[in-house]
Amino acid sequence: MNIDTFKMIIAIVQTGSISGAAQQLGYAQSNISARVHQLETELRTTIFYRTNRGVILTDAGKKFYNRASNIVDLTEDTINQMKHPTKVEGNLRIGTLQSASETFLPPILTKYYHKFPKVRLAIKTGNPIDNVQQVLDYEIDGAIVGENIDKRDLISIPLVTEELCLISASPKTPDLKTASFLVFTVGCVYRKTTEDWLHSQNLNLHHPIEFNYLDAIMASVCAGLGISIVPKEIAQSYVDRKLLYMTELPKEFSSVQLDFIYRKDHFVNRPFEEFIKMLKNHSDSQQLILQ
């Protein structure tokens, strides 16, 4: 087993097939098939399920792939640092909340990309629970999450405090007992805030309508499907265009803290190190503004 074997496994996953990996790497398909078989025999486990459409990682294969990706990243980063100590290049994989991807994150990413154009950026929006699990499984380097997560085994960097509001299609105060709430899936910090607010008034989140996309929630609220709690920064442009109306929330439910988390044992390569510096500088500047 060597670094070339790891690269073969990575290429198979990225292309979805052994033939695709052979084409990408310039090897004979039989050579890669033999190497995979040898690896599975050596590890006494199955890395891939073979199907008519290609290959799929087994649970053991997912663990191997994640570690292999980290080893290859570490190796390439070490070589790059030895050859070019001032150059920053490699991979940076970040998970984020959809709201953050539309508000404070784009300027940070733009600044980062302009400063380090050789870094290969991959940004994944999704459910915070999934993003946290991917951080723990070494699938992504870090993630922007809300405050309602278990942060054991993780390092947390405070980023911003988001102001929240209730939005509706009518200027009338919504009836919380009858209105349908438009929410993200379980694990979302905005959904958790909604549930906590309702519980404080001895109400439950009844008849929730779940969405995967923030834009879909905003459009559906505008259409009168229901009401929702979202960041004020997202809602403001809709309010300005008179597409929906904003209602203030009680102070204890009017904001959420967003953090950036990553594993305590995460290998900090140069792309990740520079990204952390940029996040901390952004966080420090936000604190100065608040003061």
Side-chain angles (χ1 to χ4, degrees):
M1 190 186 307
N2 53 39
I3 194 71
D4 288 336
T5 302
F6 295 150
K7 289 182 177 180
M8 284 183 180
I9 298 299
I10 293 170
I12 292 171
V13 174
Q14 290 176 342
T15 62
S17 67
I18 291 177
S19 60
Q23 184 175 7
Q24 182 184 98
L25 299 175
Y27 288 106
Q29 184 173 336
S30 58
N31 188 359
I32 294 184
S33 295
R35 193 75 73 89
V36 171
H37 178 72
Q38 180 183 358
L39 177 63
E40 290 180 325
T41 301
E42 182 179 341
L43 297 178
R44 298 180 181 178
T45 190
T46 301
I47 301 296
F48 294 106
Y49 294 121
R50 279 74 170 174
T51 72
N52 293 332
R53 297 183 178 180
V55 295
I56 302 173
L57 283 170
T58 64
D59 288 341
K62 291 177 182 178
K63 293 179 181 178
F64 184 88
Y65 169 73
N66 293 335
R67 295 301 178 95
S69 298
N70 287 333
I71 290 171
V72 171
D73 286 347
L74 172 59
T75 302
E76 292 182 345
D77 186 70
T78 301
I79 293 173
N80 287 334
Q81 290 307 305
M82 293 297 100
K83 289 183 177 180
H84 312 287
T86 61
K87 187 179 293 186
V88 179
E89 58 181 297
N91 297 311
L92 181 63
R93 301 158 298 184
I94 301 299
T96 180
L97 299 170
Q98 287 190 38
S99 60
S101 71
E102 296 183 22
T103 54
F104 72 90
L105 187 57
I108 296 175
L109 291 176
T110 301
K111 182 178 179 181
Y112 182 89
Y113 182 73
H114 286 164
K115 190 173 182 179
F116 309 112
K118 291 187 177 296
V119 174
R120 295 181 291 276
L121 286 170
I123 310 301
K124 178 183 179 299
T125 60
N127 184 287
I129 292 178
D130 295 336
N131 282 339
V132 170
Q133 191 59 50
Q134 289 189 45
V135 170
L136 293 173
D137 290 342
Y138 302 95
E139 295 179 15
I140 56 178
D141 298 304
I144 296 172
V145 297
E147 54 195 347
N148 59 324
I149 66 159
D150 183 354
K151 295 176 182 175
R152 289 175 295 180
D153 300 322
L154 299 170
I155 292 176
S156 178
I157 301 173
L159 293 179
V160 297
T161 300
E162 280 192 329
E163 298 298 321
L164 305 180
C165 65
L166 180 70
I167 55 172
S168 62
S170 170
K172 297 180 180 179
T173 302
D175 185 349
L176 302 182
K177 295 181 180 179
T178 60
S180 297
F181 274 86
L182 279 53
V183 295
F184 285 105
T185 53
V186 174
C188 171
V189 64
Y190 311 125
R191 178 172 182 155
K192 182 65 166 57
T193 299
T194 301
E195 292 172 340
D196 290 345
W197 176 41
L198 291 175
H199 289 164
S200 73
Q201 301 179 67
N202 297 317
L203 297 174
N204 292 318
L205 182 60
H206 65 281
H207 195 54
I209 303 175
E210 293 188 351
F211 287 80
N212 289 326
Y213 298 100
L214 178 60
D215 288 347
I217 287 180
M218 302 305 294
S220 297
V221 173
C222 289
L225 180 60
I227 61 179
S228 187
I229 288 181
V230 299
K232 277 187 178 181
E233 190 170 351
I234 297 292
Q236 191 61 56
S237 65
Y238 290 82
V239 174
D240 293 342
R241 289 176 287 163
K242 301 188 186 313
L243 296 175
L244 54 76
Y245 297 86
M246 183 188 302
T247 300
E248 296 291 332
L249 294 170
K251 184 177 181 180
E252 60 269 34
F253 304 106
S254 64
S255 65
V256 294
Q257 173 67 39
L258 300 188
D259 301 330
F260 181 79
I261 53 99
Y262 61 97
R263 285 192 65 105
K264 292 179 180 178
D265 62 354
H266 180 74
F267 165 65
V268 181
N269 60 10
R270 282 296 302 279
F272 190 69
E273 178 184 13
E274 294 297 337
F275 185 71
I276 292 297
K277 288 180 182 177
M278 199 163 288
L279 284 182
K280 288 183 176 179
N281 288 337
H282 176 81
S283 178
D284 291 342
S285 65
Q286 291 298 309
Q287 291 300 318
L288 287 175
I289 292 174
L290 292 175
Q291 293 174 3

